[in-house]
Amino acid sequence: MDIVTRCGFVALCGKPNVGKSTLFNRLLEKPLSAATGKPQTTRHNIKGILTEQGNQFVFVDTPGIHSGRVRALSQLLNANASEAMSQVDVAVMVVEVGVWNARDEKVLSELRDAKIPVMLCANKIDRMPDQALILPYFAQLAEHEFLEYIPVSARTGEGCTVLKENLAKHVPEREHLFEADALTDRHERFFAEELIREQLLIQLDKELPYVMHVQVTGFQNQEERVHISAQILVERESQRKILLGRNGTRISAIGRAARLRMAGLLDQPVVLKLHVKVQPNWQRDPNILASYRGGV
């Protein structure tokens, strides 16, 4: 009996901080997307490819849609999310189970405007004291007529198999677009930048991580190790001092944690060197902004 092959682009969409990137990484079983539990972690549309049992899902992790943002970078992140939503076969709208508010309504409105099918994925069920409340929660949202209503925990993986089984019903029958062992269409140095930025978000508080930009300046394989150098741009000298920490302790801790994450992704030991540079108004630099452009 011939196996039916299906292949489709699947956008993971939602407001900031609902666990899109954690779910993305869980589905792929690789830390491709920075996941920190903080808003505006994802700045790019990142594609991750999963091929199993005749199905090929091209997952697109999108930036969360922000309201009331006027900075050029934030406007560009919203544009990236909207562009991704307009070019996929099905969207998975990720929400926090038990929560539905005006920001979720805004995301759903964007998806409806894009005229693509939408599944609802209620995340963080592992944090719900009484899971008997999940069905009443879905019943409250029945008027929106989602394709499917799937409860999951991106942190533990619960429900992810059911999510994939239901996705397979809604992606088209067609030949696969990527090789069976392909994981992503991005270069390894891109993910090195993402994992450094992930640690900036984890280890620095409040606004400081959002005024930083990471650029990998060197990436070489030498003696069975990957040697990576990167610079972190900040806007003011005071920010540079905070990032470095007393006697360089903070930047060392960031580099150490990022190096371990990179080694897990690349399956090789990593040597990482970080340099901090002050570049005022980098968020208005057209060359840097151009690096964030691009949809599916």
Side-chain angles (χ1 to χ4, degrees):
M1 182 177 178
D2 292 335
I3 297 176
V4 175
T5 58
R6 295 179 179 273
C7 180
F9 288 87
V10 180
L12 302 182
C13 305
K15 66 189 179 188
N17 204 25
V18 292
K20 298 183 299 298
S21 296
T22 303
L23 179 60
F24 179 84
N25 291 339
R26 170 65 64 179
L27 291 166
L28 296 166
E29 298 183 354
K30 279 286 188 177
L32 290 189
S33 187
T36 68
K38 296 186 179 183
Q40 203 176 311
T41 299
T42 301
R43 291 182 173 179
H44 301 266
N45 293 333
I46 301 171
K47 287 199 284 291
I49 303 155
L50 176 65
T51 306
E52 57 181 22
Q53 299 178 351
N55 301 315
Q56 186 169 86
F57 304 115
V58 185
F59 292 108
V60 185
D61 186 21
T62 65
I65 296 175
H66 300 260
S67 301
R69 301 277 183 164
V70 295
R71 289 181 176 178
L73 178 58
S74 294
Q75 292 174 343
L76 187 53
L77 299 190
N78 281 351
N80 279 352
S82 297
E83 184 174 357
M85 289 188 289
S86 70
Q87 299 181 39
V88 298
D89 298 292
V90 61
V92 174
M93 181 176 170
V94 184
V95 298
E96 183 175 347
V97 66
V99 177
W100 184 269
N101 56 32
R103 292 192 298 167
D104 296 302
E105 291 282 359
K106 174 177 172 56
V107 174
L108 182 56
S109 176
E110 294 266 0
L111 289 167
R112 297 303 190 201
D113 288 345
K115 294 181 172 57
I116 53 175
V118 185
M119 295 172 54
L120 183 72
C121 180
N123 189 25
K124 305 185 183 180
I125 60 173
D126 55 302
R127 299 183 184 180
M128 201 169 200
D130 185 1
Q131 295 203 2
L133 297 175
I134 295 174
L135 286 179
Y137 171 69
F138 283 156
Q140 293 174 5
L141 300 177
E143 64 183 275
H144 295 299
E145 298 182 345
F146 292 103
L147 290 175
E148 310 283 352
Y149 296 76
I150 311 294
V152 304
S153 168
R155 189 178 68 85
T156 68
E158 183 179 357
C160 288
T161 298
V162 174
L163 174 60
K164 290 185 289 184
E165 289 172 351
N166 280 274
L167 275 172
K169 297 188 298 186
H170 299 290
V171 296
E173 292 185 17
R174 65 182 173 203
E175 294 299 315
H176 294 173
L177 300 173
F178 299 92
E179 296 295 329
D181 59 350
L183 181 63
T184 181
D185 65 338
R186 293 275 190 173
H187 295 295
E188 291 174 332
R189 62 190 302 141
F190 167 82
F191 293 105
E193 293 175 348
E194 284 290 285
L195 293 177
I196 295 167
R197 198 166 57 80
E198 176 186 68
Q199 291 306 314
L200 293 174
L201 285 159
I202 290 172
Q203 300 197 35
L204 294 168
D205 292 331
K206 298 180 181 178
E207 290 298 319
L208 190 56
Y210 302 109
V211 293
M212 296 183 182
H213 176 70
V214 180
Q215 294 177 324
V216 166
T217 54
F219 194 108
Q220 289 184 325
N221 284 280
Q222 294 179 355
E223 300 176 352
E224 299 183 351
R225 294 176 181 269
V226 183
H227 293 254
I228 301 171
S229 56
Q231 66 178 6
I232 303 170
L233 303 183
V234 296
E235 296 182 320
R236 298 192 297 273
E237 178 61 28
S238 60
Q239 295 167 349
R240 178 178 177 274
K241 291 179 179 178
I242 292 171
L243 175 54
L244 291 174
R246 187 178 179 85
N247 297 320
T249 53
R250 178 171 284 130
I251 193 66
S252 295
I254 289 168
R256 185 163 51 250
R259 176 176 54 80
L260 292 174
R261 291 277 280 162
M262 291 175 192
L265 176 63
L266 301 173
D267 294 323
Q268 281 184 281
V270 171
V271 177
L272 176 63
K273 295 182 179 179
L274 299 178
H275 173 69
V276 184
K277 177 182 177 182
V278 177
Q279 183 171 321
N281 298 319
W282 69 258
Q283 294 192 58
R284 298 178 184 176
D285 186 317
N287 292 323
I288 292 176
L289 289 175
S291 71
Y292 290 106
R293 292 193 176 92
V296 178

